[in-house]
Amino acid sequence: MRTFILSLVCLTGTSMAAVPAGWQPAATPPRVTAPGMQPEEPDFVVDVRALPEWATRPADRNAALNYWSAIASISKELMEAASKVDWEKVGRETDAAKMPQEFRDAAKMVAESGWLRQEVLIGSTVNKCDFEVRYEAGIGALLPHLGRVRTVVRIMRVEARHFLTQGKGDEAAANVAAMFRVAEHATHDRILISSLVGVAISAAAREEAETLLASKLLTPSGRAMISQAMERVLTADPFLGKAAVESERDIFLGWTQTQFARGPKYRAVVIGLAGGNEENASAKTRNQKITNMTDAEVSAEIAKAKDAYKLALVDWDSPDASKTLTDITQRVERGEFGLIAQVLFPSLTKARNNLSLETSKVRDLAKRLKEEN
């Protein structure tokens, strides 16, 4: 049963333009900005007519590039300081003098770091976010961006609470709203672990939204920012959980069949990557049988594994999904869907429960924000 286990970058400021002779800018050009950017933060006067036809327009850009820019601006010391903050100790506190020392240290470092907050604020507002996962690597695909994005969110959260200690409700709301949007962007990988990272980010954003609500510093504009951002999460498929299961079925099973066709050595590698090398006689016997299968037998086994996914997806949205998924998992473990399914089929019950619980909590918060307006 597959379970979930949670370069040198150069930033330049080059300006390029292809402006026709005699061209004059608009009287009041629009600004590239995002809700919550502070006046002292840099923004740029831009008119898209100055851009060559082939240049990507702001609304069509990829947020992943903004996030990598923000990540590149974060020092190792700042990462460590933000990760040391114990939010259970911080609680709902908004008095700077009463904050734990770890928080005060991190907040001071964030304020003095010059990290590229505006990249997160701007990037999170666009629709596209594609970290270009190497899906062709199957279950061996690396997802290094997930940990880095969580680091960004930790810093955004420290900064949001720091804003509250200064009485800056709108700036705090901007960070919280961005965190919800980043949570939605994290799910675009359509991999279940990415959906669960989205859940974790959403939970952090929701906790800060609750603190902001209790602080009485939430203004109508801040409330609107957060409410609008939460809509990005509260879709027909919250956190793209169902889409992630579908894509894992299609990508991982197809990739596995391709690798198995290459011979026993590759079968052993796939089993190891999937965590199937348990140190017990039963697992060793199963793995040997898989290694010795003919290609026709492998095809039949892949078809059986797809049946397990099919049953899981049919009841994914039902109120009894948790019970159904537990039953399917037990059937997989008994071998009813073949030996390959025992190695590759993910542990879905807990993942589905986490997705459902966070969705319910976000919906409750959205309702209270509307009612208390």
Side-chain angles (χ1 to χ4, degrees), residues 67 81 88 90 112 118 165 181 252 272 339:
Y67 297 148
E88 288 190 7
V90 174
E112 296 175 352
Q118 69 271 19
T165 66
R181 295 191 295 265
F252 293 164
L339 299 180

Side-chain angles (χ1 to χ4, degrees), residues 116-135:
L116 298 180
R117 170 181 182 254
Q118 69 271 19
E119 289 293 333
V120 182
L121 295 178
I122 293 172
S124 66
T125 62
V126 304
N127 292 322
K128 180 180 179 181
C129 183
D130 185 358
F131 284 97
E132 298 193 9
V133 175
R134 292 180 58 243
Y135 297 106

Side-chain angles (χ1 to χ4, degrees), residues 136-216:
E136 69 274 15
I139 57 177
L142 301 178
L143 305 170
H145 57 283
L146 293 180
R148 296 296 191 177
V149 168
R150 291 196 70 175
T151 294
V152 167
V153 170
R154 289 188 189 101
I155 293 170
M156 290 290 282
R157 186 175 185 181
V158 169
E159 191 175 52
R161 189 64 67 93
H162 181 57
F163 283 141
L164 278 186
T165 66
Q166 298 176 318
K168 298 179 179 179
D170 280 349
E171 287 85 348
N175 275 35
V176 171
M179 289 164 67
F180 275 118
R181 295 191 295 265
V182 173
E184 190 268 334
H185 274 163
T187 70
H188 286 201
D189 296 336
R190 284 176 166 76
I191 300 294
L192 203 46
I193 187 62
S194 300
S195 293
L196 293 173
V197 167
V199 165
I201 294 172
S202 174
R206 178 175 47 76
E207 286 293 325
E208 283 310 294
E210 295 278 9
T211 300
L212 183 53
L213 191 59
S215 73
K216 308 302 181 183

